[in-house]
Amino acid sequence: MKLFIDTANIEDIREMASYGIIKGVTTNPSLIAREGRKLEDVIQEIVKLVDGPISAEVKEASAEEMIAQARELAKIHKNIVVKIPMTWEGIKAVSVLSKEGIKTNVTLCFSVSQAQLAMEAGASFVSPFLGRMDDAGFDSEKLINDIVILRDNYGYATEIIAASIRSLHHVEISALAGSDIATIPTKVLKAMIKHPLTDKGLKIFADAAK
Ligand code: E4P
């Protein structure tokens, strides 16, 4: 499973990319707003740090308006993936953009039916939101497992990005389900390396080396 970083913070992206494990970046309007910067400016910097898919989200609007926004975003860099919301207008936009070769990531996916619509429209990526699914009292593990089964049953080319990741549990259920990608906030990425027995073992070896 490829690891993407789910942030618009340049320093976090620079640090995590330096470990050689980050294959892409996802942003959303909330993450961009947190940085207090313009989407285009942030994206221009990110493409210099990570050579992989970089998701930048359009504002929800009519299909025609989202297509126009998407064409502008796609001009910034070849790695730009346009994030499109899970609405009928969004699906219409994805159908047009996929034929133009513009990469898309259909976001806010909470069901197998929604994932199927994104796949049928030719989306490059679809993003099931695990954390928000759990917050609402539903089963995120079933969601990611079922969307992988859907993809495998029909051989869709759409890659699955497990998103809204809040914990190592979310990372691990996504990997074991066979998700192509998980997009992970910095805090959870940093937690992936931690284990108390590793810390204990490091101390034992360091003491012995003295
Ligand atoms: C990624 O594409 C999503 O925008 C992100 O994972 C949402 O996460 P959240 O539910 O923590 O806001």
Side-chain angles (χ1 to χ4, degrees), residues 138-171:
F138 296 101
D139 183 350
S140 65
E141 186 166 4
K142 178 162 171 47
L143 177 71
I144 191 68
N145 270 297
D146 287 353
I147 292 175
V148 169
I149 291 169
L150 168 75
R151 191 266 324 267
D152 291 349
N153 277 354
Y154 299 102
Y156 286 115
T158 306
E159 287 191 88
I160 301 163
I161 306 182
S164 189
I165 296 277
R166 305 267 169 79
S167 63
L168 293 182
H169 176 68
H170 283 149
V171 177

Side-chain angles (χ1 to χ4, degrees), residues 126-128 130 144 160-165 170 174 179 181-184:
V126 64
S127 293
L130 276 56
I144 191 68
I160 301 163
I161 306 182
S164 189
I165 296 277
H170 283 149
S174 302
S179 186
I181 298 153
T183 188
I184 309 174

Side-chain angles (χ1 to χ4, degrees), residues 36-95:
R37 304 178 60 199
K38 267 183 63 189
L39 171 66
E40 290 76 6
D41 296 344
V42 177
I43 295 296
Q44 293 278 10
E45 286 191 49
I46 296 176
V47 295
K48 292 183 196 136
L49 296 173
V50 175
D51 185 15
I54 314 291
S55 286
E57 192 157 340
V58 295
K59 292 183 188 73
E60 205 248 311
S62 67
E64 291 67 29
E65 286 163 326
M66 288 191 278
I67 290 166
Q69 290 176 53
R71 287 178 182 146
E72 288 308 307
L73 286 169
K75 279 184 200 157
I76 297 177
H77 192 274
K78 65 174 173 53
N79 287 344
I80 298 299
V81 174
V82 183
K83 230 171 162 185
I84 305 265
M86 182 68 79
T87 61
W88 281 118
E89 291 299 294
I91 293 296
K92 195 192 284 185
V94 169
S95 299

